């Protein structure tokens, strides 16, 4: 069955959904994106995603082509038209189509594409019960990782390196410190304290990160926002990652070293429950 995809104002069968070969997203990765999870047909933390979208666009001097209400309407329309119960909505805005040139075109209209991905039982991912294993690799991405651009080649290569090494994902390391995961924020837990890198240009400001740290503090858990090394991570009691589609996912091994007893730790397990409970309640 064909999906219904949104392209520049139209809802189209996916086979008919097309953008120009001159689109700057295609030619120069000149575009930004967001991924919003859907659970039970409702949008998780939608407001957070819209705020970050506006920020990414602003940082790249691109205008926001739609109002918050219009974005919400399209998201809901795609859920309905695709009978989406659990899954994701992917949203991409590029600077648009223009004759190829490094300088930003003055009159191009942004290209707007949204599509759904169905993931039945997204919140019951069995990996949450076993935990995942990561390898560490050098972080050789550009210096504005706080902008959510579609330049995902290195994260993609990182996930391939992990797969070839028999692991599930990779943590990126710069100047001896972990920045984040290929597509998620990274955390360790030591003596009950949750440690995750501080915000800056070096990492994406995860929507899930913000929510999880808020819930952790509300539950009187201790949080320290600072950089940590891979060696520190290997000696941690537990570790986990967060992202809009993985929620809170325990990490049980780093570079072949098992953390704790090699099973998901209590802090990651509790935060996953807290996050899913609270976010389902607030879903729209
Ligand atoms: N860091 C990177 C590099 C990512 O790609 C993502 C996922 N988009 C995240 C962190 C997590 O962000 P969020 O919780 O907003 O999905």
């Amino acid at each position: 069955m064909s999906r219904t995809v949104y392209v520049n104002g139209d809802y189209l069968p996916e086979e008919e959904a097309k953008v120009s070969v001159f689109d700057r997203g295609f030619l120069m990765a000149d575009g930004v994106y967001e991924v919003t999870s859907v659970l039970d047909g409702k949008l998780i933390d939608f407001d957070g995603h819209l705020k970050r979208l506006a920020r990414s666009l602003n940082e790249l001097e691109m205008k926001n082509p739609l109002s918050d209400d219009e974005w919400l309407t399209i998201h809901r329309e795609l859920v309905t038209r695709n009978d989406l119960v659990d899954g994701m909505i992917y949203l991409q805005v590029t600077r648009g189509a223009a004759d190829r040139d490094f300088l930003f075109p003055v009159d191009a209209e942004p290209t707007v594409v949204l599509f759904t991905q169905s993931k039945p039982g997204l919140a019951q991912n069995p990996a949450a019960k076993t935990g995942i294993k990561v390898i560490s690799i050098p972080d050789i991405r550009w210096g504005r990782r706080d902008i959510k651009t579609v330049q995902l080649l290195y994260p993609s290569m990182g996930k391939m390196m992990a797969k070839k090494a028999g692991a599930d994902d990779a943590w990126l390391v710069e100047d001896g410190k972990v920045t984040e995961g290929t597509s998620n924020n990274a955390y360790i837990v030591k003596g009950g304290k949750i440690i995750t890198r501080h915000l800056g240009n070096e990492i994406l400001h995860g929507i899930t990160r913000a929510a999880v740290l808020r819930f952790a503090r509300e539950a009187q858990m201790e949080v320290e926002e600072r950089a940590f090394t891979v060696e520190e991570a290997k000696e941690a009691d537990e570790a986990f990652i967060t992202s809009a589609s993985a929620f809170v996912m325990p990490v049980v091994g780093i570079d072949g070293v098992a953390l704790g007893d090699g099973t998901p730790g209590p802090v990651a397990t509790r935060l996953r429950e807290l996050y899913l409970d609270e976010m389902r309640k607030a879903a729209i």
Side-chain angles (χ1 to χ4, degrees):
M1 213 189 65
S2 166
R3 263 179 298 196
T4 296
V5 168
Y6 177 94
V7 186
N8 295 329
D10 296 320
Y11 293 91
L12 302 167
E14 62 181 75
E15 306 77 38
E16 290 169 30
K18 301 212 162 70
V19 297
S20 166
V21 294
F22 296 107
D23 195 277
R24 288 177 62 94
F26 177 60
L27 295 178
M28 296 181 163
D30 188 358
V32 300
Y33 75 107
E34 283 295 330
V35 178
T36 302
S37 269
V38 174
L39 293 177
D40 297 323
K42 287 186 170 172
L43 306 167
I44 301 294
D45 212 345
F46 186 62
D47 198 45
H49 289 286
L50 277 192
K51 288 205 172 85
R52 184 172 59 193
L53 172 66
R55 181 181 182 277
S56 293
L57 290 168
N58 189 52
E59 292 298 311
L60 296 176
E61 296 173 41
M62 283 165 64
K63 64 180 174 196
N64 194 334
L66 297 166
S67 69
D68 286 2
D69 280 350
E70 288 169 326
W71 283 121
L72 179 59
T73 302
I74 298 167
H75 278 72
R76 286 195 165 145
E77 193 63 32
L78 284 176
V79 169
T80 305
R81 289 184 190 234
N82 293 293
D83 296 320
L84 188 62
V85 181
D86 290 344
M88 282 100 76
I89 301 185
Y90 176 89
L91 169 179
Q92 180 169 332
V93 183
T94 77
R95 203 178 301 275
D99 197 33
R100 188 177 178 279
D101 188 359
F102 284 90
L103 295 179
F104 297 167
V106 278
D107 51 3
E109 282 303 312
T111 300
V112 179
V113 171
L114 288 92
F115 57 80
T116 55
Q117 287 184 288
S118 176
K119 305 271 176 193
L122 179 63
Q124 288 84 44
N125 185 345
K129 293 258 181 285
T130 55
I132 62 161
K133 297 187 172 79
V134 300
I135 57 167
S136 64
I137 61 171
D139 193 342
I140 55 168
R141 298 172 300 164
W142 79 325
R144 288 304 304 275
R145 302 159 194 155
D146 56 310
I147 309 173
K148 197 164 167 62
T149 74
V150 296
Q151 313 176 65
L152 296 179
L153 183 53
Y154 190 63
S156 180
M157 289 167 70
K159 284 192 195 280
M160 286 307 300
M161 288 183 233
K163 187 177 179 186
K164 284 175 189 157
D168 305 292
D169 208 341
W171 279 11
L172 306 169
V173 181
E174 184 174 55
D175 298 333
K177 305 277 171 58
V178 174
T179 50
E180 58 186 336
T182 56
S183 64
N184 42 66
N185 290 114
Y187 308 72
I188 56 172
V189 181
K190 187 74 182 172
K193 191 193 288 177
I194 299 161
I195 302 162
T196 193
R197 194 180 180 102
H198 51 282
L199 296 180
N201 293 342
E202 300 77 22
I203 63 167
L204 186 75
H205 302 187
I207 302 305
T208 320
R209 177 189 182 282
V212 164
L213 293 187
R214 190 172 75 241
F215 297 142
R217 286 180 171 123
E218 282 169 9
Q220 313 301 327
M221 295 170 160
E222 204 184 334
V223 175
E224 197 178 349
E225 296 182 60
R226 64 158 173 91
F228 58 86
T229 63
V230 173
E231 288 62 42
E232 203 180 351
K234 285 179 185 163
E235 284 163 16
D237 301 326
E238 51 177 299
F240 61 94
I241 55 167
T242 64
S243 78
S245 52
F247 313 117
V248 178
M249 182 62 66
V251 170
V252 295
I254 299 174
D255 289 337
V257 175
L259 299 183
D261 64 1
T263 64
V267 173
T269 304
R270 168 130 188 256
L271 282 174
R272 181 178 174 89
E273 279 168 18
L274 256 179
Y275 177 82
L276 282 169
D277 285 354
E278 293 297 324
M279 296 320 266
R280 277 182 195 277
K281 274 189 237 161
I284 59 169

